[in-house]
Structures are given as C-alpha cells and as structure tokens.
Amino acid sequence: AQKITQTQPGMFVQEKEAVTLDCTYDTSDQSYGLFWYKQPSSGEMIFLIYQGSYDEQNATEGRYSLNFQKARKSANLVISASQLGDSAMYFCAMREGPTGGGNKLTFGTGTQLKVEL
Amino acid sequence: DAGVIQSPRHEVTEMGQEVTLRCKPISGHDYLFWYRQTMMRGLELLIYFNNNVPIDDSGMPEDRFSAKMPNASFSTLKIQPSEPRDSAVYFCASSSPSQGQYQETQYFGPGTRLLVL
C-alpha cells in the first residue's frame, strides 16, 4: 500500500483564488510528521509547511495552510490567493516515528499546479 | 546561512565512466540524505547518514552505487560504472532534530542533473 497518496496529478486554479491539494497517508505509528514541498520548474525542492501528528492546531505559513484531519489520515495543502509563481509541482511527504529517531521521509507522487490569469 | 550545496549542478558522462556527486550539508545539521528523482520512480531515498555514519542504505540500487561521509561537512555519492538508467536528478538534503518548530525538516540542495549516454 502507498504510504503517501496524492490523487491529483494536475490542478488548475485562477490567479487570486484558493486551491486545495490533496494528500492522504497511511501509517500505524502514533508519532509522525507531515511535510509539503514545492518544486518549481527550475528543479529545487522548497520546504513549505510542517504538521506534527500531535499538533492540535493546523499549521499555517503565510498563504499556506495544512488542513490536518487525523481520523481521515489526510493532510491537504491549502494555498490562498494563488499567484503565478505558485505554478509548480507540490509533494506531500511523511516522517514515521518520533522525532530524533532517524527521520526518513516518504514522498507522494506529486501534484502539478498551474495558476492561470 | 548557506543552504545545502551540491556539485556539479549538471553532469553528462558516457556509460561505464565513474561519476562522483558532492554535497555540503547545512552547518550544524547532523543528518544527511541522498535522494534520486526520476519520472518513473519519483523521489527515492538512497541512503542517509547520522553524525557521518550510514544508517540506512537499503535504497541504494546496486553495488555500483556507494556513498561516503568522511566528515560533518562533506559527502559523496559515487556511481561506478555508470549506466544510462542512472540518469536522474540526485538531491542531497540535510536536517537536524533540534530545529525547534520545524523539527527534522529536510532542506534540499539544488540537485545534480546526471545524464549518462
């Protein structure tokens, strides 16, 4: 079974609109972390946002927020007020186990987001 | 602070040649990771180190691949002999368990684009 599932290979959104990128995960660990990364066409991997499994509040970073629904095992990324520069591939990733225990990440297959005028 | 540094940024070589990729992690980070990204397989963890010691190399595809970390500020990934199927983008990332709010977030280098002819 896939540990990280991103079911949207591609998404379109109009500039200034909000968009939600889906991510579901599978783990039996109680302690884990969820990450979102952005990969623009230039190729670098840019860290966006982090949510720990014990964090009670959804993580936010500027225009990025993570809609964390633990019971559903989902960690969707919400981008508000989309900008042309948001066009990129977005990866969801999970660290299983507690912090400090060898923090391997498993990545999803990514969602290609295109922001249109 | 400087981010993760990788060299070379691009490498074109012929099948059978030895290829060496280099990485300098963020100062103070004690975890270092090597990933490979291809269209077919996505992002794969090859190997990671903690305090210069290899912890998990189960992702290394075969004996042609080897990685070393002789000190806290330098790591190499070597492919010998290289084959066309090794063509990919190779990322190095580093992290530290003591990052406060972003515990164990992995920060990626710009990647090395390898093409084996």
Side-chain angles (χ1 to χ4, degrees):
Chain A
Q2 294 289 326
K3 287 185 176 290
I4 294 286
T5 302
Q6 295 182 254
T7 57
Q8 306 153 314
M11 289 279 287
F12 290 90
V13 65
Q14 294 238 310
E15 193 182 23
K16 300 179 186 177
E17 298 292 313
V19 62
T20 298
L21 306 184
D22 294 341
C23 173
T24 57
Y25 59 92
D26 182 27
T27 181
S28 57
D29 287 346
Q30 296 301 308
S31 178
Y32 52 90
L34 297 155
F35 302 79
W36 278 91
Y37 286 84
K38 172 184 179 181
Q39 187 175 38
S41 58
S42 51
E44 69 267 35
M45 292 284 288
I46 303 167
F47 164 69
L48 295 178
I49 196 166
Y50 165 79
Q51 179 87 40
S53 59
Y54 293 119
D55 295 340
E56 294 185 353
Q57 290 193 330
N58 287 343
T60 60
E61 282 293 339
R63 295 186 299 109
Y64 304 108
S65 60
L66 200 152
N67 184 1
F68 181 46
Q69 298 189 39
K70 198 169 183 176
R72 293 185 177 184
K73 293 189 174 179
S74 75
N76 299 339
L77 177 70
V78 181
I79 305 174
S80 63
S82 297
Q83 302 171 357
L84 294 177
D86 294 334
S87 295
M89 181 74 87
Y90 289 81
F91 290 96
C92 180
M94 176 174 64
R95 181 213 75 233
E96 291 180 277
T99 59
N103 45 356
K104 294 171 63 171
L105 287 183
T106 303
F107 283 83
T109 52
T111 295
Q112 183 71 49
L113 177 66
K114 174 73 172 175
V115 180
E116 300 175 316
L117 290 170
Chain B
D1 287 341
V4 176
I5 299 171
Q6 290 187 248
S7 66
R9 296 291 306 274
H10 303 271
E11 177 83 26
V12 180
T13 191
E14 292 189 346
M15 182 174 63
Q17 295 298 306
E18 178 180 291
V19 175
T20 299
L21 312 181
R22 298 173 176 80
C23 175
K24 176 179 170 56
I26 293 171
S27 178
H29 282 190
D30 48 11
Y31 282 91
L32 183 139
F33 305 81
W34 282 101
Y35 289 90
R36 179 171 68 176
Q37 185 178 34
T38 61
M39 289 293 292
M40 291 297 294
R41 301 176 68 90
L43 266 162
E44 302 174 278
L45 176 67
L46 299 177
I47 184 171
Y48 78 96
F49 296 82
N50 179 218
N51 292 321
N52 313 337
V53 176
I55 302 300
D56 186 345
D57 64 354
S58 59
M60 296 286 262
E62 46 197 278
D63 292 345
R64 298 184 297 106
F65 286 69
S66 62
K68 294 181 179 179
M69 192 165 184
N71 57 62
S73 59
F74 183 66
S75 177
T76 60
L77 177 68
K78 188 176 291 186
I79 308 172
Q80 168 62 20
S82 58
E83 297 183 1
R85 59 190 169 129
D86 301 330
S87 297
V89 180
Y90 291 81
F91 286 103
C92 176
S94 71
S95 75
S96 168
S98 305
Q99 289 175 158
Q101 183 182 3
Y102 298 124
Q103 284 192 357
E104 300 197 44
T105 295
Q106 294 184 22
Y107 294 92
F108 283 70
T112 296
R113 292 182 179 271
L114 173 65
L115 177 62
V116 183
L117 302 173

